[in-house]
């Protein structure tokens, strides 16, 4: 197992190089000039100042030279400085990470805590009212756009009923409140975006869990376990569920980058100060260092998530070996 992990970690290096080179090339194809955007509001800007600004950003160098300089900085964990406010990229990302971890982490936990039991129940009680109810819920979840659901909740609970806040992470006066009231203020701001992000994935994960569970409970070893006189609880949760979780583990591994990337649309709609909103702002301002920093961290998490999913396969299914 140790050799397999080391081999996978070594394979990540060329993969990350290829991903970074491709991301850098795609960003260079985007129209617009970061230096010109910074002085766009000044109609009388001196062209020589614009050239000095481009030179300070390193934008006057050939593309491969720019990429090489960026790669050298990355090797010492220096993601450069933002074009927008000249602050270190890692500092900006570090300020936004807690909000995204709070929203995406809770959403991921709730998603799998709720979706797996729904899928298992629908598979176990196939062709009953439970199965039909989960199927209807799945169709609704697939057909309902996340941004539309978010706007609907904001209209009902935020505007008409005035029960929950619809933007930001805290109220303007929250810093003057006691810690328990401050926590309650954050929770009230968290409810609506958390409901939207969780509901958006419940349909797909519950469907995967149902399909996987249906396939497992039809296997011969499940019939053998029942023939031995094991209780239905032991058959379902000890023998069937463990093997049915393998596709769910794959989804969990692929969901890991979401802890950093966040949700661009949901965070923007609710003005949630996370990585999704930060990435969207970086796209509009052509902030290449910030975009590359977010892209590299997301790529690393994607590769790590795939590795953790593969290792979890061996734990769930003893037939899988990596020796």
């Amino acid at each position: 197992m140790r050799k397999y992990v080391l081999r996978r970690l070594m394979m990540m290096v060329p993969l990350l190089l290829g991903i970074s080179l491709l991301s850098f090339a795609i960003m260079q194809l985007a129209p617009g000039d970061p230096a010109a955007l910074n002085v766009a509001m000044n109609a009388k800007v001196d062209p020589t100042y614009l050239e000095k600004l481009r030179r300070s950003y390193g934008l006057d160098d050939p593309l491969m030279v720019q990429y090489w300089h960026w790669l050298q900085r990355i090797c010492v964990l220096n993601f450069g400085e933002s074009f927008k406010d000249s602050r270190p990229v890692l500092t900006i990302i570090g300020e936004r990470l807690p909000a995204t971890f709070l929203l995406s982490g809770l959403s991921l936990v709730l998603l799998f805590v709720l979706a797996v039991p729904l899928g298992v129940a629908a598979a176990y009680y196939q062709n009953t009212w439970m199965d039909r109810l989960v199927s209807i819920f799945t169709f609704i979840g697939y057909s309902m756009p996340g941004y539309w659901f978010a706007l609907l909740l904001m209209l009902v609970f935020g505007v008409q009923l005035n029960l929950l806040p619809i933007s930001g992470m805290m109220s303007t006066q929250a810093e003057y409140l006691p810690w328990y009231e401050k926590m309650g203020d954050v929770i009230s701001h968290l409810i609506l975006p958390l409901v939207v992000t969780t509901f958006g994935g419940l349909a797909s994960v519950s469907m995967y869990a149902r399909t996987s569970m249906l396939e497992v409970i039809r296997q011969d070893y499940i019939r053998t376990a029942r023939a031995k006189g094991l209780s239905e609880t032991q058959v379902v949760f000890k023998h069937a569920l463990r093997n049915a979780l393998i596709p769910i583990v794959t989804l969990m591994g692929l969901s890991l980058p979401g802890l950093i990337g966040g949700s661009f649309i949901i965070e923007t709609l609710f003005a949630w100060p996370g990585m999704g909103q930060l990435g969207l702002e970086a796209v509009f301002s052509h902030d290449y260092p910030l975009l590359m920093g977010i892209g590299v961290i997301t790529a690393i998490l994607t590769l790590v998530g795939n590795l953790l999913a593969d290792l979890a396969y061996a734990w769930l299914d003893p037939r899988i070996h990596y020796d």
Side-chain angles (χ1 to χ4, degrees), residues 75 109 112 178 192 205 252 267 295:
C75 292
V109 171
F112 288 98
L192 290 184
V205 178
M252 292 184 68
E267 288 190 3

Side-chain angles (χ1 to χ4, degrees), residues 47-81:
T48 58
Y49 173 75
L50 190 60
E51 290 300 322
K52 291 180 181 179
L53 196 60
R54 288 179 55 83
R55 194 177 304 115
S56 66
Y57 287 164
L59 297 175
D60 56 342
D61 295 329
L63 293 182
M64 291 309 299
V65 174
Q66 295 182 39
Y67 176 73
W68 175 247
H69 290 164
W70 176 83
L71 197 60
Q72 286 179 317
R73 293 194 301 267
I74 288 297
C75 292
V76 293
L77 298 180
N78 178 12
F79 287 84
E81 295 180 349

Side-chain angles (χ1 to χ4, degrees), residues 103 106-108 110-111 114 193-203:
L103 177 59
L106 284 177
S107 176
L108 190 63
L110 283 176
L111 176 63
L114 297 175
L194 183 61
V195 169
V196 175
T197 53
T198 304
F199 185 79
L202 274 178

Side-chain angles (χ1 to χ4, degrees), residues 113-273:
V113 166
L114 297 175
V116 173
L118 279 176
V120 171
Y124 186 76
Y125 298 104
Q126 187 183 12
N127 298 326
T128 63
W129 66 269
M130 174 65 74
D131 188 18
R132 295 186 182 94
L133 187 62
V134 173
S135 298
I136 293 173
F137 170 76
T138 301
F139 287 132
I140 293 175
Y142 268 119
S143 60
M144 183 182 298
Y147 67 89
W148 182 86
F149 186 46
L151 293 174
L152 179 64
L153 293 182
M154 293 168 69
L155 176 63
V156 174
F157 294 98
V159 177
Q160 295 181 349
L161 300 179
N162 197 23
L163 294 177
L164 296 170
I166 60 175
S167 65
M169 186 176 176
M170 290 190 301
S171 303
T172 54
Q173 72 278 9
E175 56 180 311
Y176 305 107
L177 299 175
W179 66 269
Y180 53 89
E181 293 186 10
K182 186 182 298 184
M183 183 179 298
D185 184 68
V186 173
I187 292 175
S188 65
H189 283 78
L190 178 65
I191 291 176
L192 290 184
L194 183 61
V195 169
V196 175
T197 53
T198 304
F199 185 79
L202 274 178
S204 59
V205 178
S206 61
M207 184 196 68
Y208 274 105
R210 178 185 180 276
T211 304
S212 180
M213 193 67 179
L214 281 175
E215 183 178 351
V216 169
I217 61 178
R218 293 167 181 168
Q219 300 295 322
D220 292 337
Y221 69 89
I222 297 296
R223 287 192 289 268
T224 303
R226 285 181 174 139
K228 288 181 178 179
L230 297 179
S231 65
E232 281 298 307
T233 302
Q234 290 178 309
V235 170
V236 172
F237 292 101
K238 185 177 179 180
H239 295 276
L241 181 59
R242 184 168 181 174
N243 291 321
L245 284 177
I246 291 180
I248 309 302
V249 168
T250 304
L251 289 178
M252 292 184 68
L254 296 176
S255 300
L256 188 60
L259 294 178
I260 293 293
S263 175
F264 280 68
I265 298 177
I266 303 305
E267 288 190 3
T268 302
L269 283 175
F270 287 101
W272 187 263

